[in-house]
Amino acid sequence: MLERLNTESLPRLPADVEKPLYDRSRLTPGIVHLGLGAFHRAHQAVLTDLAMQASGDLSWGILGVSLRSAATRDALTPQDGLYTLALRDGGPDGNTREQLRVVGSVLRVMVAEEDPNAVLERIAYPQTRIVSLTVTEKGYSHEPATGYLRWDDPDILHDLENPHRPRSTIGILVYGLALRRERGLPPVTLMSCDNLRGNGDMLRSLVLAFALRVDVALTAWIDTHCTFPNSMVDRIVPGTDDEDRQRITGRLGVEDAWPVVGEPYLNWVIEDKFAAGRPAWETQGGATFVRNAAPYERLKLRMVNGPHSTFAYLGALLGHETISQSVQTPALRDFVDAMMRLEIAPTLKGIPDSGLEEYRRRFLARIANAALRHPTPQVAMDGSQKLPQRLLDTIRDRLRTGDDIQRLTLAVAAWLHYLRGVDEQGGRYVIQDPLAARLAKLMSRADVAARASAPSASAHRRAMVLASFKPVFGELGKSPEFVEALATHLETLREHGVMHAVEAAT
């Protein structure tokens, strides 16, 4: 049986494996991170590791928090928090390249569901200066179309009644900040790294809304003292599978129970608004600090996340297992390429055409990377939370200027068609979405409405019912142009399939 990766095994790792060069016994915790998944470990954790190594400031160790699952804690605790980041791409010779680095910035992993009060205590720890989040879009207990806190969310309702055992991200943050205020501790920075428009601004509004129900004085303290920088992170990070574990363990010579796989490309842009300092994340080509992250965030949501979701839904309907398989399908690639050039790029004012051209080409090359096995279902999940900022905002902008929305609306229709749970080969899949039950009822209502209509009106009636789902579409569902385009694409997908729909929309 192989030895486990841990502090003692670091000196014996192969020479071509990068590893922390600082004394980990001197690390002290300065960051509490909620949502210690692969995405965080592939960007913030590794750049924190590199920043501490470059600066010698070892006060930025990370206390990771998994909100519910114990899997990451159970994997990393025997490894002293160590894990391997494997960056994969294709070399000039066509062969796969893989660069390994063992990351040392994670000190400990906790599970909030097991002991929520312990997490609150860590947020209220005197040395904690940053509380960061990668809890995915669905982790904010908000309505995707409006950004408002959902007061009917079961976890929010629970947290209002149980301040010592919160379950939601927002409840954990507010009660942790309440402890800091009670103890007279300095404020902290709360930093979202999730794919949400104005993620820092949205986090601030959700935290303040919840705090107002708890204590007006607490709301004023948070508003005055804490900062919420907006940020944008771009790196493709597929889920780790058994093949990855075996391959990476073989190269290390010791067992790593939960390595992370990602692409070499990384772009992390952050507003430099920190209440109590920060790591030197900009070292070694890392993060970029700006006064206003909105243009970068808008560019990424529209020119990366939107097309990514489009490839996922169209590809899933064709039975594709990975994103690269979808990108390598000429009709899909041509369709998404045209959508980016003709419908998305014109909404990104202030960015030179040459810059957008390079951005588009680089994105298409990145997701065609067959060395990264990025499962289509991973990108397709949680569509109700993703589409408002990835596609619907762009459609709204296009409608305001009277411009064509055909390709963008086909991408939305592909998501709705995907909710049927069966691909064009008859393969079935599970819809992973926090609104899955409500969406299933919505689809049934739409089918009933379509059957009750005259044949000539059934497609339009189905689209009207679907577009009226306010948690996702908001007021966009009242747009005749959007509903008409949606009706056409849904009918084509139902009657003729993806390839015909793509050809008709190009």
Side-chain angles (χ1 to χ4, degrees), residues 127-140:
Q127 290 173 276
T128 298
R129 287 173 281 169
I130 295 174
V131 180
S132 51
L133 300 84
T134 47
V135 294
T136 75
E137 296 91 340
K138 65 186 174 186
Y140 289 79

Side-chain angles (χ1 to χ4, degrees), residues 14-89:
D16 63 344
V17 175
E18 297 178 12
K19 56 192 175 184
L21 299 180
Y22 50 85
D23 181 358
R24 291 189 78 235
S25 68
R26 294 175 50 229
L27 277 182
T28 56
I31 300 172
V32 172
H33 184 83
L34 306 184
L36 196 78
F39 188 53
H40 165 75
R41 292 193 286 140
H43 84 277
Q44 184 182 342
V46 68
L47 287 192
T48 302
D49 179 63
L50 291 169
M52 291 192 295
Q53 182 165 292
S55 68
D57 181 358
L58 303 185
S59 65
W60 294 106
I62 297 171
L63 291 170
V65 179
S66 295
L67 295 181
R68 289 178 173 80
S69 172
T72 303
R73 189 270 315 276
D74 293 347
L76 296 191
T77 297
Q79 300 180 181
D80 301 325
L82 296 169
Y83 66 91
T84 310
L85 173 63
L87 302 180
R88 292 171 60 82
D89 66 352

